[in-house]
Amino acid sequence: MIIRNAKFYLGGRVVKKDILIEKGKIAGFGKFKGEAMDAEGLFALPGLIDPHVHLRDPGMTHKEDFETGTRAALAGGCTTVLDMPNTRPPCTSLSEYRKKKEIAKRKALCDYGLHFGASGSNIQGVKKARPRSLKLYMGESTGRMHAGNMLTLWRHFSNFPKNRPLIVHAEDQETLAAMKKEGRGRPEAAEKIGVEKARILAQEADRVIYFAHTTLFETVHLAKIWKKSLIEVSPHHLFLSREKDGKRLKEFSKVYPPLRSEGERRELWGALYHVDAVGSDHAPHTPAEKRKGAAGFPGLETSLSLFLDAYNRGEVELPWIIDRMAESPARIFGLKSKGRIDKGYDGDITLVDLKEEWKVKADEFASKCGWTPYEGFRLKGKVKKVVLRGKLAADESGVTGKTKGKNVL
Ligand SMILES: [Zn+2]
């Protein structure tokens, strides 16, 4: 495949060249003869890697499944997704891990990896499965798989291989339970105490720790006291706030960790430099379930465009977007052939029109859940074509359905 006249970053500066992809790999840059995909006027990003999605398969496939979820990923410019283990049954044993791999292999349209889950009782199970990454919930969240007591936390922290990412949802269980009794919901304190506990345990165990969906300037800095801490942020904590969007979204505004105040949202932008990765935390529920209090937002089809829109307003630079949404997740999760437009890397390319404006409409989305917290938003910056290992995966008429995902973890 030849991608003709694309603009992209090569060696730190913007160039305009053809990109040649052979046998699924980027083979060269320059001028090439032959049939080509026209990318005139478009900017090429490395295919994005979303390290934090919930595709709900198995067990909750009325919300999403590996096919619709990877369709949503491709529509949003992601060519690789890493799926969380709080499915039903949870992915906390070798046998469930194997079953889920089979499902993903059969249905996925983009590349994928599966995070393994830490439970209160599976220290040996983790050792047996030897996963590349481990997700640990310190407090209760969707899926009820928290490993909240100190002994279990410590055992996971000290037993899981130290250079592999231990992904932590850092809301402290004891704090959540106490505050619930006091009728105070899920306050910032649960995240602050969670991050402190986890950071100290990580230091004690001398291990890498990856903080999922960090929401506060303060917790980013608390986490970074430890040099092996990695920070993820999710778009909704940067683009939505309790005051601004809570009223508009009503019961649909529920998400864990919750939307923060407008002041805290703005402060979080001030911590972007210390952030290592963006994870959409795509967590679809049906509208009926949202009305009954389910927590979580879909995010795969809006994540990139929200940041491109912010780029157009001068709030973030393109190299930051490329690094935190592709190159850095690839490095953190050991995806050696992903995350860069360079010779020898996988031919995963997301072509965007940086200037095109579009209106967010959930009924045009590929996700099964049928709603979005960004309904009606006008965003500047749109995904136009997506290439997965040299094959057209999505264009203006939608996801082709002709690509097949492979396991990368
Ligand atoms: Zn999540």
Side-chain angles (χ1 to χ4, degrees):
M1 172 185 263
I2 299 163
I3 300 174
R4 178 94 67 221
N5 283 334
K7 273 187 171 179
F8 58 98
Y9 274 95
L10 184 65
R13 57 189 189 93
V14 177
V15 297
K16 188 174 178 182
K17 291 179 189 289
D18 300 349
I19 302 171
L20 176 68
I21 303 173
E22 282 174 346
K23 292 182 186 147
K25 301 272 183 192
I26 297 172
F29 308 109
K31 277 265 159 244
F32 302 102
K33 287 208 177 89
E35 205 184 316
M37 173 195 287
D38 182 26
E40 186 65 46
L42 302 181
F43 205 95
L45 309 173
L48 302 185
I49 297 161
D50 193 329
H52 189 154
V53 302
H54 300 264
L55 300 190
R56 308 299 196 202
D57 197 352
M60 292 171 277
T61 51
H62 63 287
K63 300 176 199 271
E64 200 78 285
D65 62 50
F66 265 100
E67 201 214 312
T68 58
T70 51
R71 268 181 189 274
L74 289 167
C78 288
T79 49
T80 305
V81 290
L82 305 182
D83 186 58
M84 287 296 172
N86 58 340
T87 32
R88 234 177 254 157
C91 186
T92 50
S93 68
L94 183 56
S95 64
E96 291 307 327
Y97 194 40
R98 283 184 178 146
K99 278 187 215 159
K100 199 171 170 181
K101 275 185 184 166
E102 280 307 309
I103 298 169
K105 191 177 171 186
R106 202 157 31 83
K107 297 187 186 173
L109 300 176
C110 73
D111 288 350
Y112 59 87
L114 306 180
H115 296 306
F116 199 78
S119 77
S121 57
N122 74 342
I123 310 285
Q124 291 311 318
V126 175
K127 278 190 181 163
K128 227 164 99 185
R130 301 166 54 88
R132 291 261 297 274
S133 58
L134 183 66
K135 171 73 181 282
L136 187 152
Y137 291 83
M138 290 176 78
E140 256 172 48
S141 190
T142 307
R144 299 184 168 277
M145 49 175 287
H146 74 93
N149 82 64
M150 200 46 135
L151 184 61
T152 319
L153 288 181
W154 171 249
R155 284 186 176 157
H156 281 301
F157 272 66
S158 53
N159 278 294
F160 191 60
K162 310 227 154 157
N163 53 355
R164 292 186 191 181
L166 174 67
I167 305 161
V168 176
H169 179 138
E171 282 185 295
D172 180 60
Q173 180 56 31
E174 225 186 322
T175 315
L176 288 177
M179 294 299 181
K180 201 172 168 185
K181 277 196 179 140
E182 295 289 303
R184 297 205 47 223
R186 283 175 98 96
E188 288 80 357
E191 179 172 322
K192 292 176 191 174
I193 295 169
V195 165
E196 271 293 70
K197 252 191 195 177
R199 189 258 300 165
I200 293 165
L201 287 176
Q203 259 173 308
E204 192 64 24
D206 189 22
R207 66 156 311 110
V208 171
I209 179 167
Y210 178 98
F211 288 97
H213 44 49
T214 313
T215 73
L216 301 165
F217 181 88
E218 187 181 341
T219 48
V220 171
H221 286 266
L222 285 174
K224 282 289 181 182
I225 292 170
W226 173 231
K227 60 181 188 298
K228 293 183 185 175
S229 290
L230 298 160
I231 303 285
E232 175 192 271
V233 288
S234 300
H236 43 275
H237 295 120
L238 286 166
F239 293 97
L240 303 176
S241 72
R242 208 160 54 213
E243 296 94 314
K244 207 158 53 71
D245 306 283
K247 276 195 198 113
R248 174 176 65 85
L249 293 167
K250 299 191 187 74
E251 68 269 39
F252 285 73
S253 70
K254 195 164 169 189
V255 63
Y256 297 153
L259 295 182
R260 303 303 190 193
S261 72
E262 181 59 14
E264 285 161 335
R265 181 189 78 84
R266 283 169 195 250
E267 271 182 20
L268 187 61
W269 279 90
L272 278 204
Y273 175 79
H274 299 284
V275 165
D276 297 281
V278 171
S280 70
D281 196 8
H282 178 79
H285 298 284
T286 64
E289 290 166 327
K290 287 300 288 178
R291 282 186 204 102
K292 283 188 207 147
F297 296 156
L300 274 166
E301 287 164 272
T302 44
S303 188
L304 173 60
S305 272
L306 285 164
F307 282 102
L308 293 180
D309 189 62
Y311 157 76
N312 277 304
R313 281 181 278 113
E315 288 171 5
V316 64
E317 291 184 7
L318 271 187
W320 187 95
I321 296 176
I322 293 166
D323 186 71
R324 272 49 166 208
M325 299 183 87
E327 194 163 345
S328 171
R331 193 169 53 238
I332 293 169
F333 292 97
L335 316 180
K336 293 200 174 70
S337 63
K338 301 278 187 198
R340 285 180 68 170
I341 299 181
D342 217 338
K343 271 187 208 167
Y345 280 76
D346 283 0
D348 299 345
I349 308 282
T350 295
L351 291 160
V352 298
D353 184 330
L354 291 171
K355 297 293 164 206
E356 186 174 327
E357 285 189 40
W358 62 290
K359 195 171 168 187
V360 176
K361 288 185 201 140
D363 62 7
E364 291 172 0
F365 279 177
S367 168
K368 213 184 260 187
C369 74
W371 75 281
T372 163
Y374 307 99
E375 185 72 35
F377 277 38
R378 285 188 175 281
L379 301 176
K380 193 170 183 180
K382 195 172 195 298
V383 175
K384 302 297 279 185
K385 287 171 188 160
V386 180
V387 174
L388 175 72
R389 285 179 276 108
K391 277 204 177 129
L392 182 68
D395 62 13
E396 293 259 46
S397 50
V399 175
T400 64
K402 287 182 181 150
T403 50
K404 217 174 148 23
K406 68 171 192 197
N407 186 11
V408 295
L409 265 191

